[in-house]
Amino acid sequence: MNIPVQNCSSCAACANVCARSAISMQLDAEGFYRPVIDAEKCVQCGACERICPWNKPVENPNVADVSPKTVAACAKDESVRLQSSSGGIFTVLAERVLDDGGVVVGVAQTAPTRFGHIVVDNKADLAKLRGSKYVQADVGLVYREVRNLLKAGRKVLFSGTPCQVAGLYAVLGNAVSADLFTVDIVCHGTPSVKVFEKYVREMEMTDNSSLDVINFRDKSVGWSGYALLHRFKSGKFVSVHHGRSKYMRLFLSRICQNVSCDDCHYRKLPRIADITLGDYWGISKYHPEMNDNKGASVVLLNTTPGSMLFESVADKVAQCDSKVEYAIAGNPCIVRSSTPHPKRAEFFANLDKYSLDQLIKMYCPFPSPLKRAYIRVRGLLGRIKRKVTG
């Protein structure tokens, strides 16, 4: 297999399609999952290269709309919404599929510093899939599991990044079923597992305890001011506002994301999944009646099956029609890749040499107190202006 690293999204389609199980996904020096071939098992059949979603573009078999119906929405069940990153729409959709006897596939925290796709067949376990995970996930062989579930006549709701949805469709090929529904997220890029491990290791040394679980989007003080909530095995909790989090500083600067994210083939319209979900950033400007700072989702209904699934949960959702242009204004990653960080290579070359505090000062320093104050005042004036003119 001859796939350049800069073209590998770590989607694991190659590992899932290999009939001889000659490919495994292993972390590379930067902390991203890459295909590793067992030469003794490989028969040079070429299936891995033919299936790669970067070599061969993949489209949604349900024919996605280049101008999808766009909705601002949130779950009516406030407990679901408060436990979710944005509006709780994923949970509502997932519960509907489970009620129909189906299963839900999504990303869970599988270890303190590891995340990966799992299959859930009951509502109690949905909590494992709820919420954003800002670390690259190990897909494993979950596409094979989905294929077997569909063959067995089960409904499946699959959620993941756009490249993971593309990987699933690539592996399924002609075996795609009407029982499959796909959800992709508005993805800002997948951060390095190694960087997250370093972050956790340094925090554990400071707090003298081992991390148990992390919630990247705790909304105890509101959706817009979310925090990272760390629960340690000692029972201690540490909450850090995202604006002061070292890890979020690195993630949002784009310096620690997979290099292929700088040229993503699936951040575009039409989208690859039946439904696209994300935070409705900018909702206070376009739909202020929907903003109570508890979380709101932007929902793109890309295909007919996606629209039908969403309509089936209408009684559990508060919503209003929106426009795709509004969604893109607050989430430009819907249609384009992020600008590459100019010092990404240098950052990773120095990752083992310096602490995160030192690396942040070198490559993406926090704003000065004066600049932070300016940003807060500018935001406040903007909100006042919108209220006066609205």
Side-chain angles (χ1 to χ4, degrees):
M1 182 168 62
N2 185 27
I3 308 296
V5 168
Q6 64 267 24
N7 293 341
C8 180
S9 71
S10 311
C11 74
C14 54
N16 279 261
V17 80
C18 182
R20 298 181 64 85
S21 299
I23 302 175
S24 60
M25 302 299 292
Q26 300 178 22
L27 292 173
D28 68 3
E30 290 185 346
F32 297 99
Y33 291 101
R34 304 295 183 208
V36 176
I37 299 175
D38 184 337
E40 293 185 359
K41 294 181 180 179
C42 179
V43 295
Q44 302 289 325
C45 68
C48 51
E49 290 193 14
R50 291 194 299 272
I51 208 73
C52 176
W54 249 241
N55 276 352
K56 182 181 178 181
V58 179
E59 296 181 353
N60 189 307
N62 294 318
V63 187
D65 195 332
V66 73
S67 183
K69 180 179 180 182
T70 305
V71 178
C74 62
K76 290 181 179 179
D77 186 334
E78 192 165 298
S79 65
V80 167
R81 188 156 58 122
L82 292 177
Q83 294 174 51
S84 304
S85 294
S86 48
I89 300 303
F90 169 74
T91 295
V92 176
L93 297 172
E95 288 181 342
R96 176 54 194 266
V97 171
L98 291 174
D99 286 340
D100 289 342
V103 301
V104 181
V105 183
V107 175
Q109 185 171 359
T110 56
T113 59
R114 292 288 192 275
F115 299 81
H117 276 82
I118 65 170
V119 178
V120 165
D121 62 3
N122 64 85
K123 293 181 182 180
D125 284 340
L126 270 184
K128 298 176 182 179
L129 309 184
R130 193 179 290 130
S132 300
K133 284 88 173 179
Y134 297 132
V135 186
Q136 190 177 68
D138 182 5
V139 174
L141 299 177
V142 79
Y143 305 150
R144 291 186 185 181
E145 291 187 63
V146 170
R147 182 172 56 197
N148 291 335
L149 287 162
L150 293 172
K151 285 182 178 179
R154 301 290 295 275
K155 283 189 176 182
V156 178
L157 175 65
F158 178 92
S159 64
T161 61
C163 61
Q164 290 165 351
V165 174
L168 173 64
Y169 282 137
V171 170
L172 293 178
N174 294 330
V176 170
S177 165
D179 288 329
L180 174 65
F181 300 91
T182 56
V183 171
D184 69 353
I185 60 171
V186 177
C187 180
H188 296 265
T190 54
S192 159
V193 175
K194 186 175 181 178
V195 171
F196 183 67
E197 286 180 333
K198 186 179 182 73
Y199 166 74
V200 170
R201 185 167 61 250
E202 292 184 5
M203 176 169 269
E204 288 177 336
M205 292 176 62
T206 300
D207 290 277
N208 196 29
S209 184
S210 298
L211 181 71
D212 186 18
V213 177
I214 183 170
N215 178 355
F216 289 96
R217 295 288 299 278
D218 178 63
K219 297 192 291 189
S220 298
V221 294
W223 172 46
S224 60
Y226 67 88
L228 282 75
L229 182 63
H230 312 74
R231 187 181 77 197
F232 292 88
K233 292 180 180 178
S234 63
K236 180 180 180 180
F237 285 83
V238 175
S239 179
V240 183
H241 185 278
H242 72 273
R244 295 187 291 273
S245 166
K246 289 183 284 187
Y247 185 71
M248 292 302 290
R249 184 67 185 167
L250 293 167
F251 168 48
L252 295 175
S253 74
R254 308 175 311 282
I255 201 168
C256 63
Q257 69 181 16
N258 194 0
V259 67
S260 72
C261 298
D262 296 336
D263 183 27
C264 179
H265 293 192
Y266 297 98
R267 288 188 202 172
K268 63 179 182 179
L269 294 174
R271 298 286 293 186
I272 186 65
D274 295 316
I275 298 175
T276 297
L277 297 178
D279 292 278
Y280 204 132
W281 301 126
I283 195 168
S284 59
K285 178 179 180 180
Y286 301 112
H287 307 289
E289 73 282 1
M290 291 286 293
N291 185 29
D292 57 5
N293 202 26
K294 295 179 181 178
S297 297
V298 59
V299 184
L300 304 185
L301 302 175
N302 303 309
T303 68
T304 298
S307 295
M308 293 175 65
L309 178 61
F310 186 73
E311 289 168 7
S312 73
V313 298
D315 60 324
K316 299 181 183 298
V317 174
Q319 60 179 290
C320 71
D321 288 345
S322 189
K323 296 182 179 180
V324 70
E325 307 90 78
Y326 297 168
I328 293 171
N331 285 290
C333 287
I334 290 174
V335 293
R336 62 177 179 268
S337 301
S338 305
T339 302
H341 195 288
K343 295 188 176 181
R344 180 193 181 281
E346 185 179 324
F347 168 82
F348 276 104
N350 285 322
L351 185 58
D352 293 328
K353 301 176 184 178
Y354 301 98
S355 69
L356 287 189
D357 281 328
Q358 292 171 316
L359 290 166
I360 288 170
K361 289 178 182 178
M362 292 164 65
Y363 299 111
C364 45
F366 284 99
S368 66
L370 183 61
K371 187 171 183 179
R372 288 200 299 269
Y374 168 75
I375 292 171
R376 286 197 297 270
V377 171
R378 186 179 64 181
L380 177 61
L381 292 175
R383 289 193 294 273
I384 293 173
K385 182 179 179 181
R386 285 194 293 271
K387 286 183 179 180
V388 171
T389 59

